[in-house]
Amino acid sequence: MATKVKGVPDGASVVIPRLVCRDPAAAIEFCVSTFGAIEQVRRPAPDGTVGHALMTIGPGMVMIESEWPALPSRAPQPDGSSPVVIYVYVEDVDQTVERAVAHGAKVLIPVRNQFWGDRTAWIVDPSGHVWTIATRIEETTEQERQDRWASAQRSLPMAQGIVGTTQVIGPLEATKRIPALVGRLYAIVSELETHFPGRPFTLDGHLVGSLGEVLGAAYYNLELLPCSSESHDARAADGRRVQIKATQGEQVGMRSTCEHLLVLRLQKDGTAEEVYNGPGELAWAAAGPMQRNGQRPIRLSTLRRLMREVPADRVLERVTANK
């Protein structure tokens, strides 16, 4: 008598993400190095590269797939625009994010405490797949989560568009259009430097500052203030005044404290990494001594550390095309 086959095999996850990648071998290595994934199966493609792999991350399963010519699925772009976000629990989110960055990931939303009791961060891996990395730090009741959610909603920027030019751009549209325009600037710089070796065409000074301000407005749905406004560059829908700092390096300078400080590190693809998003006085207190240029320097590593102390309800919500 034939043994009855189980519809769901023993030990199998009921839901298994299948991640299509341009370089499956590199994707496997990233998961192993970052999450401690264990490779269970690897099958070659006709050209000898990896065609399919099955890994386990804790009790969960993840499949890695090559881009098969006969199938329509293609790997996502490496800009964090993937419509799918994988939520994974780890023992230490801060250490895991550090490992991810060391292995080529970019931080989309830095580590912060969330109202439901998790400490999370969003990253995009080198293959373009987006992950929310989480560690449970507090057990909460459903009523507590509802109350905290209601409180957080009251502080979110809910303006209808980004105002600052002659046209109003919707927040979701802006998260695509503004980074695309900034990316084109970097592409032009790269092409010029290719044609004229040894001659720099660096984006710096006022241009970097303005790029940071328009990206900040796009990502956080802010109303830009006139350029002459002292100490603050934008206003959130809840009335908070925001100073926006942008850099391509490892530090920024502050001329004065501010109500809310947003620090972004510009990327050559036109996107921006959020480094700090919290009260201005916290950063001002940790900044270095005043320099001859009238600014107090503060390193991005210091700001990332300070970000761990910012309560979730003091953080400006980032608008993403994934919402």
Side-chain angles (χ1 to χ4, degrees):
M1 182 176 178
T3 303
K4 184 178 180 181
V5 176
K6 294 183 178 180
V8 179
D10 289 335
S13 298
V14 176
V15 178
I16 306 175
R18 300 181 70 176
L19 309 184
V20 178
C21 304
R22 296 179 184 85
D23 187 346
I28 294 169
E29 177 58 31
F30 175 83
C31 290
V32 170
S33 300
T34 300
F35 302 115
I38 299 174
E39 185 177 333
Q40 304 292 344
V41 175
R42 180 184 294 216
R43 304 195 194 286
D47 62 359
T49 60
V50 178
H52 166 84
L54 172 66
M55 301 180 299
T56 52
I57 300 177
M61 292 180 170
V62 176
M63 293 182 181
I64 301 293
E65 306 288 343
S66 178
E67 291 185 328
W68 292 94
L71 297 176
S73 299
R74 290 295 176 264
Q77 296 300 313
D79 59 1
S81 62
S82 171
V84 177
V85 180
I86 307 155
Y87 202 101
V88 56
Y89 277 108
V90 297
E91 288 296 328
D92 190 318
V93 60
D94 294 272
Q95 291 184 6
T96 303
V97 171
E98 289 180 5
R99 289 198 300 272
V101 171
H103 289 89
K106 290 196 304 183
V107 176
L108 298 177
I109 301 178
V111 180
R112 64 179 61 148
N113 297 343
Q114 303 294 354
F115 72 90
W116 61 88
D118 285 356
R119 182 168 171 80
T120 71
W122 287 46
I123 66 162
V124 56
D125 69 23
S127 297
H129 293 285
V130 178
W131 303 74
T132 298
I133 306 174
T135 296
R136 177 58 54 87
I137 59 172
E138 178 189 11
E139 295 299 340
T140 59
T141 66
E142 179 56 28
Q143 186 60 54
E144 288 174 326
R145 293 189 288 271
Q146 289 183 10
D147 292 344
R148 293 177 184 181
W149 173 249
S151 175
Q153 288 295 293
R154 288 192 292 271
S155 66
L156 293 181
M158 297 300 290
Q160 293 303 308
I162 295 169
V163 183
T165 63
T166 55
Q167 79 180 124
V168 177
I169 304 173
L172 292 183
E173 180 185 5
T175 61
K176 297 179 181 179
R177 288 184 55 187
I178 304 303
L181 289 172
V182 176
R184 283 162 58 185
L185 279 175
Y186 277 102
I188 291 170
V189 167
S190 179
E191 187 172 350
L192 286 169
E193 291 179 342
T194 298
H195 287 303
F196 302 96
R199 186 174 298 276
F201 293 86
T202 307
L203 300 177
D204 54 17
H206 291 298
L207 179 56
V208 166
S210 293
L211 291 177
E213 289 164 12
V214 298
L215 283 169
Y219 282 132
Y220 300 90
N221 198 10
L222 306 175
E223 177 186 354
L224 288 175
L225 301 175
C227 290
S228 58
S229 300
E230 187 175 352
S231 300
H232 295 88
D233 305 298
R235 182 182 292 110
D238 62 3
R240 274 183 289 179
R241 295 172 299 161
V242 183
Q243 183 179 116
I244 304 172
K245 292 289 185 181
T247 183
Q248 301 172 104
E250 294 302 325
Q251 71 176 30
V252 295
M254 300 180 67
R255 294 188 180 276
S256 63
T257 188
C258 55
E259 184 175 358
H260 192 93
L261 178 65
L262 181 62
V263 179
L264 304 174
R265 192 173 192 278
L266 302 186
Q267 309 293 321
K268 290 186 177 181
D269 61 2
T271 60
E273 173 199 352
E274 178 189 291
V275 177
Y276 182 81
N277 179 358
E281 65 268 16
L282 187 62
W284 181 253
M290 187 69 72
Q291 304 297 298
R292 290 183 178 179
N293 63 1
Q295 298 188 51
R296 296 176 61 188
I298 183 167
R299 295 192 61 79
L300 300 194
S301 57
T302 300
L303 288 166
R304 291 189 180 99
R305 175 178 55 79
L306 292 175
M307 190 63 204
R308 301 179 185 179
E309 304 174 19
V310 178
D313 61 358
R314 297 292 300 276
V315 174
L316 293 174
E317 182 76 2
R318 182 160 173 159
V319 179
T320 72
N322 295 321
K323 286 192 172 184

